[in-house]
């Protein structure tokens, strides 16, 4: 599949109030490094006017230090554009492209076609970069950096406005939050303006936009599945007026009750960040963002709102497009992505990406989405997915069997990690694994291996790296549908799955206030710890071929706890883990997510390691890292000054050593 960005002119010239006609659009180039606000930074000594094309040339670093409401038509960054972090800034732009060279065209923009496979390691030639804060120096909490993607007449509405990183570096880093979403500490009561959180939160501020997830089962209100959950939802948005420890005072009273009953609690999520990317006209032509192959950069505590082009392939709020492992080390941490016209985060042909502590709220189509079935070694950890809603399949989408009908998390290749996530109030699924073989489409694909090679494999047979501690509530259809039927009771993995030595292992999942809690047609499923509360069906149309179940807690099941098994009978818990005989013969996978230089020259290195078993240790430049969370899911180490490169790998308790360490230059 090709994703081209065309900003093609429909007419040779046009009249646009307040802007220059495109035929006469000036091109303003940087003359040297300096502040955007200083005339001497620019050729001709004048600041870029409204409607201009702007080029930051190779070798120049321009500091964006203005709060301007007049948009430029395009901004091409071949050098560095660094946003000031100590003041409010605003940039309105039609096309922002980060790419080496002098090209400032808006036509035929296809990174995959013209960017080299590797970027030359030339110390004199820095990578093209947009830095809206950095991991070491995020935008200060007292200030806001705002980028508004603004449509200009003559641009292709299916591709512009846009921010696209084409082999450069694109960073967004706002003030960090201790948590982006938390569980309720006590029930939220109708008529009350106070909300108790399960824990105090750092970084939340008066004026922030928050929402409380609905905790009423969807199909108790909407009797037809054809009406989106947004109709009649009890999820409520509010503004924080006061923070007192773990108690929030909201701008107006709650209209509904929100459950906090023992293990079953709704969530409170913060949507506000001080680094923001948005569409200037959400009801008109929306924008999108994209990383291409050989790019660099990460996202930390930034807000992406009103983005995503409805019904357009490849035009998503945040999109990692066919980067494979060239961006190993990239991460999206603590972001909020809301009111999306086309998904929240799309991971397409991409490996080793970490998505953690993100809030996805209201999207058309699936929310956290792995697109083509080859994606491997990605980590989705502690994300909240609320209201991924019905949409139509996208034209020429990679996997034609996907209905795009609203899953919080959707994937076709399980060789990834899903941990500590929550999905609520999504139209069709909380979690959906879907891989369907058809005469026209084979599920045998070229899949990355731990040593960096690629091998043909039937993606239906690839087990999870890890699937632990995930939760779904208030789903009116499937909470967890792992290779089962779709809504038509036709499409499925058709009984094809992993073998008894490498089963799907699903640990400690929870589904409450739902319709169908768990469904799979994959054989060789090991379900270890399963809590279903207040549901109509718990285990629905299960495939018990070589299946093991332990620790199932089924409470308040109103219709059937084990409805119509498709093959075999419910396994005996006393036999667990038989008839399976799982073995850990796969090595861990390690990702360095941050290397922060300290004033004394030392480095704080942080990262993530994923494994299907127990991780024994993580080594960075031969030194043992410290586990920050269990099983080295997050780790940290401080290294002395002087290192020119970093190399991190892990060893698990079964003796498997990671064959391909994550190596990177010291920043």
């Amino acid at each position: 599949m090709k994703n081209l960005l065309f900003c093609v002119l429909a007419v040779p010239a046009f009249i646009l109030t307040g802007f220059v006609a495109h035929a006469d659009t000036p091109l303003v180039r940087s003359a040297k490094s300096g502040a955007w606000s200083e005339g001497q930074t620019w050729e001709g000594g004048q600041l870029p006017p409204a409607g201009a094309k702007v080029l930051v040339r190779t070798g120049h670093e321009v500091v964006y230090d203005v709060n301007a409401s007049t948009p430029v038509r395009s901004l091409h960054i071949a050098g560095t554009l660094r946003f000031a972090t100590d003041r409010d800034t605003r940039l309105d732009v039609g096309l922002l492209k980060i790419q080496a060279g002098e090209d400032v065209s808006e036509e035929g923009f296809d990174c995959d076609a013209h960017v080299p496979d590797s970027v030359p390691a030339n110390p004199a030639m820095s990578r093209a970069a947009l830095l809206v804060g950095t991991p070491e120096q995020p935008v200060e909490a007292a200030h806001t950096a705002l980028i508004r993607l603004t449509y200009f007449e003559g641009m292709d509405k299916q591709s512009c406005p846009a921010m696209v990183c084409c082999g450069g570096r694109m960073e967004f880093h706002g003030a960090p939050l201790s948590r982006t979403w938390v569980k309720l500490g006590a029930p939220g009561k109708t008529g009350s303006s106070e909300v108790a959180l399960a824990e105090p939160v750092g970084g939340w501020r008066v004026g922030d936009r928050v929402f409380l997830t609905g905790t009423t089962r969807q199909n108790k209100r909407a009797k037809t599945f054809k009406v989106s959950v947004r109709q009649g939802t009890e999820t409520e948005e509010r503004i924080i007026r006061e923070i007192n420890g773990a108690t929030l005072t909201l701008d107006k009273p709650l209209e509904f009750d929100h459950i906090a009953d023992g293990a079953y609690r709704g969530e409170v999520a913060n949507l506000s960040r001080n680094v923001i990317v948005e569409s200037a006209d959400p009801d008109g032509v929306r924008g999108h963002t994209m990383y291409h192959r050989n790019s660099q950069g990460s996202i930390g505590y930034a807000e992406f709102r009103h983005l995503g082009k409805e019904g357009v392939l490849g035009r998503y709020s945040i999109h990692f497009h066919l980067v494979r492992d060239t961006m190993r080390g990239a991460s999206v941490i603590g972001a909020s992505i809301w009111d999306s016209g086309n998904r929240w985060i799309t991971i397409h042909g991409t490996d080793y990406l970490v998505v953690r502590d993100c809030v996805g709220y209201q999207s058309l189509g699936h929310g956290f989405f792995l697109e083509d079935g080859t994606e491997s070694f990605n980590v989705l950890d502690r994300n909240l997915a609320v209201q991924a809603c019905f949409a139509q399949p996208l034209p020429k989408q990679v996997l034609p069997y996907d209905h795009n009908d609203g899953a919080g998390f959707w994937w076709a290749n399980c060789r990834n990690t899903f941990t500590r996530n929550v999905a609520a109030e999504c139209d069709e699924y909380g979690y959906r694994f879907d891989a369907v073989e058809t005469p026209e489409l084979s599920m045998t694909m070229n899949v990355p291996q731990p040593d960096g090679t690629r091998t043909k494999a039937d993606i239906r047979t690839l087990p999870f790296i890890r699937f632990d501690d995930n939760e779904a509530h208030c789903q009116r259809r499937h909470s967890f549908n792992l290779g089962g039927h779709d809504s038509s009771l036709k499409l499925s993995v058709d009984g094809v799955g992993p073998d008894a030595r490498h089963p799907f292992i699903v640990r400690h999942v929870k589904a409450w206030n739902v319709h169908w809690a768990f469904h799979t047609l994959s054989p060789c499923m090991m379900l270890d710890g399963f809590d279903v509360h207040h549901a109509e069906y718990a285990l629905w149309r299960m495939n018990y071929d070589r299946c093991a179940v332990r620790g199932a807690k089924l409470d308040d099941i109103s219709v059937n706890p084990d409805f119509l098994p498709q093959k075999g009978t419910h396994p005996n818990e006393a036999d667990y883990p038989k008839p399976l005989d799982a073995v850990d013969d796969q090595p861990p996978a390690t990702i360095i997510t941050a290397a922060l230089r300290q004033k004394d020259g030392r480095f704080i290195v942080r990262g993530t390691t994923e494994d299907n078993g127990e991780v024994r240790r993580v080594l960075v430049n031969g030194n043992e890292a410290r586990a920050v969370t269990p099983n080295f899911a997050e780790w940290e180490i401080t290294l002395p000054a002087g290192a020119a490169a970093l190399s991190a790998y892990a060893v698990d308790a079964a003796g498997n050593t990671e064959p391909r360490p994550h190596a990177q230059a010291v920043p």
Side-chain angles (χ1 to χ4, degrees), residues 204 208-212 236-238 240 250 268-270:
W204 294 32
D208 284 356
R209 180 185 298 271
V210 298
F211 68 85
L212 286 75
E236 303 187 69
E237 296 180 35
R238 294 291 185 272
I240 299 175
L250 307 178
V268 183
N270 192 325

Side-chain angles (χ1 to χ4, degrees), residues 458-475:
D458 187 332
I459 60 174
R460 295 172 294 179
T461 68
L462 300 177
F464 291 112
I465 294 180
R466 203 166 195 95
F467 195 93
D468 288 11
D469 299 303
N470 296 299
E471 177 180 343
H473 67 86
C474 302
Q475 298 292 139

Side-chain angles (χ1 to χ4, degrees), residues 231-539:
Q231 306 300 317
T233 179
E234 292 183 5
T235 292
E236 303 187 69
E237 296 180 35
R238 294 291 185 272
I239 303 298
I240 299 175
R241 289 292 178 242
E242 185 179 340
I243 303 175
N244 185 9
T247 300
L248 306 181
T249 301
L250 307 178
D251 61 330
K252 58 182 180 179
L254 298 175
E255 296 182 12
F256 304 101
D257 288 338
H258 297 264
I259 293 172
D261 180 13
Y264 315 108
R265 297 171 179 266
E267 296 79 24
V268 183
N270 192 325
L271 293 173
S272 295
R273 309 288 187 270
N274 69 325
V275 169
I276 303 161
V277 179
E278 69 174 5
S279 296
D281 184 10
D283 296 325
V285 184
R286 290 190 172 209
H288 67 103
T289 72
M290 182 184 294
Y291 287 93
H292 279 263
R293 183 176 179 82
N294 290 309
S295 296
Q296 286 185 353
S298 55
I299 297 170
Y301 303 99
E303 180 179 351
F304 293 75
R305 64 193 186 199
H306 317 312
L307 299 169
K309 292 183 177 291
E310 181 178 354
V312 183
L313 186 69
R315 305 298 182 252
Y316 315 121
S317 292
I318 301 174
H319 184 191
F320 290 84
H321 175 63
L322 296 175
V323 307
R324 283 273 66 99
D325 62 358
T326 67
M327 288 188 69
R328 185 174 179 178
S331 59
V332 184
I333 308 293
S336 78
I337 314 100
W338 60 283
D339 183 32
S340 174
N342 199 354
R343 301 175 181 150
W344 298 314
I345 299 178
T346 293
I347 303 169
H348 178 201
T350 295
D351 312 314
Y352 297 101
L353 177 69
V354 177
V355 179
R356 174 177 287 127
D357 288 334
C358 292
V359 176
Y361 176 52
Q362 296 188 338
S363 73
L364 292 180
H366 306 317
F368 297 99
F369 177 67
L370 285 71
E371 186 166 350
D372 71 14
T374 65
E375 296 83 12
S376 302
F377 310 114
N378 299 289
V379 176
L380 289 91
D381 177 44
R382 205 164 62 184
N383 302 292
L384 177 64
V386 180
Q387 294 186 7
C389 297
F390 293 130
Q392 295 298 313
L394 299 179
K396 298 182 180 180
Q397 64 186 33
V398 181
L399 301 177
Y401 56 79
D402 171 25
H403 295 309
N404 198 26
D405 43 6
F409 300 85
W410 194 100
W411 66 97
N413 180 343
C414 290
R415 191 177 282 175
N416 296 282
T417 290
F418 301 83
T419 50
R420 303 188 295 177
N421 301 293
V422 174
E425 280 200 335
C426 298
D427 270 342
E428 188 69 22
Y429 309 103
Y431 303 81
R432 175 58 158 153
F433 159 54
D434 201 6
V436 179
E437 180 100 349
T438 68
E440 297 76 28
L441 181 66
S442 172
M443 288 296 99
T444 298
M445 299 184 179
N446 201 16
V447 179
Q449 302 300 305
D451 63 0
T453 62
R454 301 185 72 183
T455 302
K456 293 282 188 180
D458 187 332
I459 60 174
R460 295 172 294 179
T461 68
L462 300 177
F464 291 112
I465 294 180
R466 203 166 195 95
F467 195 93
D468 288 11
D469 299 303
N470 296 299
E471 177 180 343
H473 67 86
C474 302
Q475 298 292 139
R476 67 178 177 190
R477 286 205 170 191
H478 289 282
S479 299
F480 297 88
N481 187 324
L482 306 183
H485 290 299
D486 70 355
S487 57
S488 67
L489 296 182
K490 293 180 181 178
L491 299 178
S492 75
V493 299
D494 196 27
V496 178
D499 59 51
R501 301 276 283 171
H502 306 88
F504 285 127
I505 301 177
V506 175
R507 302 181 182 96
H508 310 302
V509 296
K510 182 188 302 181
W512 56 276
N513 221 343
V514 299
H515 184 63
W516 297 311
F518 194 92
H519 173 44
T520 183
L521 290 178
S522 296
C524 300
M525 176 71 68
M526 182 180 287
L527 190 54
D528 188 4
F530 183 44
D531 183 351
V532 183
H533 170 71
H534 193 43
E536 284 156 322
Y537 300 85
L539 299 163

Side-chain angles (χ1 to χ4, degrees), residues 574-585:
D575 296 333
Y576 187 93
K578 298 300 181 181
L580 299 169
D581 187 17
V583 61
D584 181 1
D585 57 7

Side-chain angles (χ1 to χ4, degrees), residues 574-652:
D575 296 333
Y576 187 93
K578 298 300 181 181
L580 299 169
D581 187 17
V583 61
D584 181 1
D585 57 7
Q586 291 298 306
T590 296
I591 306 167
I592 298 172
T593 55
L596 308 178
R597 187 188 296 270
Q598 306 302 292
K599 291 182 179 179
D600 61 4
R602 295 183 302 164
F603 280 91
I604 295 177
V605 183
R606 298 186 179 120
T608 289
T609 295
E610 52 184 331
D611 188 62
N612 63 334
E614 179 186 349
V615 178
R616 178 177 296 165
R617 57 182 182 157
V618 173
L619 294 102
V620 184
N621 289 10
N623 302 287
E624 295 213 15
R626 174 180 64 89
V628 176
T629 57
N631 210 40
F632 291 89
E634 297 177 73
W635 52 259
E636 181 176 298
I637 188 172
T638 300
L639 295 178
L646 300 174
S647 177
Y649 71 94
V651 181
D652 68 20

Side-chain angles (χ1 to χ4, degrees), residues 23-69:
D24 302 318
T25 298
L27 172 61
V28 180
R29 299 180 178 90
S30 60
K32 63 174 188 175
S33 297
W36 184 288
S37 62
E38 296 176 356
Q40 60 187 359
T41 301
W42 307 101
E43 291 181 351
Q46 299 294 320
L47 271 61
K53 289 186 175 182
V54 181
L55 171 64
V56 177
R57 304 185 76 177
T58 303
H60 294 168
E61 179 172 317
V62 174
V63 177
Y64 192 81
D65 60 345
V66 298
N67 192 347
S69 60

